[in-house]
Short mmCIF file of all heavy atoms in Angstrom, two decimals:
data_model
loop_
_atom_site.label_atom_id
_atom_site.label_comp_id
_atom_site.label_asym_id
_atom_site.label_seq_id
_atom_site.Cartn_x
_atom_site.Cartn_y
_atom_site.Cartn_z
N ASP A 2 97.96 107.47 78.37
CA ASP A 2 98.33 106.85 79.64
C ASP A 2 99.80 107.11 79.92
O ASP A 2 100.66 106.64 79.20
CB ASP A 2 98.05 105.35 79.57
CG ASP A 2 98.01 104.71 80.93
OD1 ASP A 2 97.74 105.42 81.90
OD2 ASP A 2 98.24 103.49 81.00
N THR A 3 100.08 107.87 80.95
CA THR A 3 101.46 108.19 81.30
C THR A 3 101.88 107.36 82.49
O THR A 3 101.06 106.74 83.16
CB THR A 3 101.60 109.68 81.65
OG1 THR A 3 100.83 109.95 82.82
CG2 THR A 3 101.13 110.55 80.50
N ARG A 7 99.63 105.74 85.69
CA ARG A 7 99.72 104.33 86.09
C ARG A 7 100.18 104.20 87.53
O ARG A 7 99.70 103.35 88.28
CB ARG A 7 100.66 103.57 85.16
CG ARG A 7 100.06 103.29 83.80
CD ARG A 7 100.90 102.31 83.01
NE ARG A 7 102.29 102.72 82.87
CZ ARG A 7 102.78 103.45 81.87
NH1 ARG A 7 101.97 103.87 80.92
NH2 ARG A 7 104.05 103.76 81.82
N PRO A 14 94.17 102.12 94.34
CA PRO A 14 93.22 101.38 93.52
C PRO A 14 91.77 101.80 93.74
O PRO A 14 90.92 101.58 92.89
CB PRO A 14 93.43 99.92 93.93
CG PRO A 14 94.11 99.96 95.23
CD PRO A 14 94.84 101.26 95.31
N GLY A 15 91.46 102.44 94.87
CA GLY A 15 90.12 102.95 95.12
C GLY A 15 89.07 101.86 95.14
O GLY A 15 89.27 100.78 95.70
N ARG A 21 92.75 93.41 93.35
CA ARG A 21 92.81 92.28 94.28
C ARG A 21 93.25 92.78 95.65
O ARG A 21 93.79 93.87 95.77
CB ARG A 21 93.79 91.24 93.76
CG ARG A 21 93.37 90.68 92.40
CD ARG A 21 94.49 89.91 91.80
NE ARG A 21 95.50 90.87 91.35
CZ ARG A 21 96.20 90.75 90.25
NH1 ARG A 21 96.05 89.71 89.48
NH2 ARG A 21 97.08 91.65 89.90
N VAL A 26 97.03 96.07 99.31
CA VAL A 26 98.14 96.07 100.27
C VAL A 26 99.35 96.78 99.66
O VAL A 26 100.01 97.60 100.30
CB VAL A 26 98.49 94.64 100.70
CG1 VAL A 26 99.80 94.58 101.46
CG2 VAL A 26 97.37 94.04 101.52
N ALA A 36 105.17 108.64 102.13
CA ALA A 36 105.02 109.47 103.32
C ALA A 36 106.27 109.40 104.21
O ALA A 36 106.74 110.43 104.71
CB ALA A 36 103.79 109.02 104.11
N VAL A 38 109.37 108.66 103.31
CA VAL A 38 110.49 109.32 102.63
C VAL A 38 110.39 110.84 102.80
O VAL A 38 111.37 111.51 103.10
CB VAL A 38 110.55 108.91 101.14
CG1 VAL A 38 111.48 109.81 100.36
CG2 VAL A 38 110.97 107.47 101.02
N VAL A 44 112.94 115.16 110.12
CA VAL A 44 113.49 114.45 111.29
C VAL A 44 115.00 114.30 111.14
O VAL A 44 115.76 114.55 112.09
CB VAL A 44 112.81 113.06 111.45
CG1 VAL A 44 113.48 112.25 112.53
CG2 VAL A 44 111.33 113.23 111.74
N THR A 55 127.42 119.36 118.64
CA THR A 55 128.44 118.63 119.40
C THR A 55 129.63 118.18 118.56
O THR A 55 130.74 118.15 119.06
CB THR A 55 127.81 117.40 120.08
OG1 THR A 55 127.27 116.55 119.08
CG2 THR A 55 126.74 117.81 121.05
N GLY A 57 130.29 118.91 114.84
CA GLY A 57 130.74 119.64 113.67
C GLY A 57 129.85 119.40 112.47
O GLY A 57 129.01 118.49 112.44
N THR A 60 130.18 115.86 110.21
CA THR A 60 129.54 114.71 110.85
C THR A 60 128.03 114.86 110.84
O THR A 60 127.29 113.89 110.65
CB THR A 60 130.04 114.56 112.30
OG1 THR A 60 131.45 114.50 112.28
CG2 THR A 60 129.48 113.33 112.96
N GLY A 67 122.38 109.75 106.75
CA GLY A 67 122.28 108.34 107.15
C GLY A 67 120.92 108.00 107.72
O GLY A 67 120.35 106.95 107.41
N GLY A 74 115.39 103.64 102.91
CA GLY A 74 115.83 102.34 102.40
C GLY A 74 115.02 101.19 102.94
O GLY A 74 114.68 100.25 102.21
N MET A 76 111.89 101.27 103.90
CA MET A 76 110.56 101.29 103.27
C MET A 76 110.63 100.82 101.81
O MET A 76 109.77 100.08 101.36
CB MET A 76 109.95 102.68 103.36
CG MET A 76 109.57 103.09 104.76
SD MET A 76 108.41 101.96 105.57
CE MET A 76 106.93 102.24 104.61
N ALA A 79 110.99 97.13 101.79
CA ALA A 79 109.71 96.49 102.09
C ALA A 79 108.82 96.48 100.84
O ALA A 79 108.16 95.46 100.55
CB ALA A 79 109.01 97.22 103.23
N THR A 86 107.01 89.17 96.15
CA THR A 86 106.14 88.11 96.67
C THR A 86 104.81 88.10 95.94
O THR A 86 104.30 87.04 95.56
CB THR A 86 105.91 88.31 98.18
OG1 THR A 86 107.17 88.32 98.84
CG2 THR A 86 105.05 87.20 98.75
N ARG A 89 105.25 86.54 92.53
CA ARG A 89 105.36 85.08 92.58
C ARG A 89 104.01 84.43 92.81
O ARG A 89 103.69 83.40 92.20
CB ARG A 89 106.33 84.67 93.69
CG ARG A 89 107.77 84.81 93.30
CD ARG A 89 108.69 84.05 94.25
NE ARG A 89 108.48 84.41 95.64
CZ ARG A 89 109.15 85.34 96.30
NH1 ARG A 89 110.10 86.00 95.69
NH2 ARG A 89 108.89 85.59 97.56
N HIS A 94 99.38 81.38 90.54
CA HIS A 94 97.95 81.27 90.21
C HIS A 94 97.74 81.17 88.71
O HIS A 94 96.86 80.43 88.25
CB HIS A 94 97.18 82.45 90.79
CG HIS A 94 97.00 82.38 92.26
ND1 HIS A 94 96.87 83.48 93.04
CD2 HIS A 94 96.93 81.33 93.11
CE1 HIS A 94 96.73 83.12 94.29
NE2 HIS A 94 96.77 81.82 94.37
N GLN A 97 98.50 77.62 87.64
CA GLN A 97 97.44 76.70 88.06
C GLN A 97 96.20 76.85 87.19
O GLN A 97 95.60 75.85 86.77
CB GLN A 97 97.06 76.94 89.53
CG GLN A 97 98.12 76.52 90.51
CD GLN A 97 97.82 76.98 91.92
OE1 GLN A 97 96.91 77.77 92.17
NE2 GLN A 97 98.62 76.50 92.87
N TRP A 99 96.12 78.01 84.12
CA TRP A 99 96.43 77.55 82.77
C TRP A 99 96.42 76.03 82.69
O TRP A 99 95.91 75.46 81.72
CB TRP A 99 97.78 78.10 82.31
CG TRP A 99 98.12 77.65 80.93
CD1 TRP A 99 99.09 76.79 80.58
CD2 TRP A 99 97.44 78.01 79.72
NE1 TRP A 99 99.09 76.59 79.22
CE2 TRP A 99 98.08 77.33 78.67
CE3 TRP A 99 96.37 78.84 79.43
CZ2 TRP A 99 97.68 77.46 77.35
CZ3 TRP A 99 95.98 78.96 78.10
CH2 TRP A 99 96.62 78.28 77.08
N GLU A 103 94.15 74.37 79.96
CA GLU A 103 94.88 73.91 78.79
C GLU A 103 94.26 72.69 78.11
O GLU A 103 94.13 72.68 76.87
CB GLU A 103 96.33 73.62 79.17
CG GLU A 103 97.19 73.28 77.97
CD GLU A 103 98.63 73.05 78.37
OE1 GLU A 103 98.90 72.79 79.56
OE2 GLU A 103 99.48 73.12 77.48
N PRO A 104 93.81 71.65 78.83
CA PRO A 104 93.23 70.50 78.13
C PRO A 104 91.98 70.87 77.33
O PRO A 104 91.78 70.39 76.21
CB PRO A 104 92.87 69.53 79.26
CG PRO A 104 93.74 69.92 80.40
CD PRO A 104 93.95 71.39 80.25
N ARG A 107 93.17 72.88 74.18
CA ARG A 107 93.81 72.04 73.15
C ARG A 107 92.80 71.16 72.43
O ARG A 107 92.94 70.88 71.26
CB ARG A 107 94.89 71.17 73.80
CG ARG A 107 96.07 72.00 74.26
CD ARG A 107 97.32 71.17 74.25
NE ARG A 107 98.45 71.91 74.77
CZ ARG A 107 99.30 72.57 74.02
NH1 ARG A 107 99.17 72.57 72.72
NH2 ARG A 107 100.31 73.21 74.56
#
Side-chain angles (χ1 to χ4, degrees):
D2 197 24
T3 64
R7 285 191 306 269
R21 299 167 287 218
V26 168
V38 167
V44 173
T55 60
T60 306
M76 291 302 292
T86 302
R89 281 196 306 267
H94 286 152
Q97 290 170 351
W99 180 249
E103 187 178 19
R107 291 208 183 265

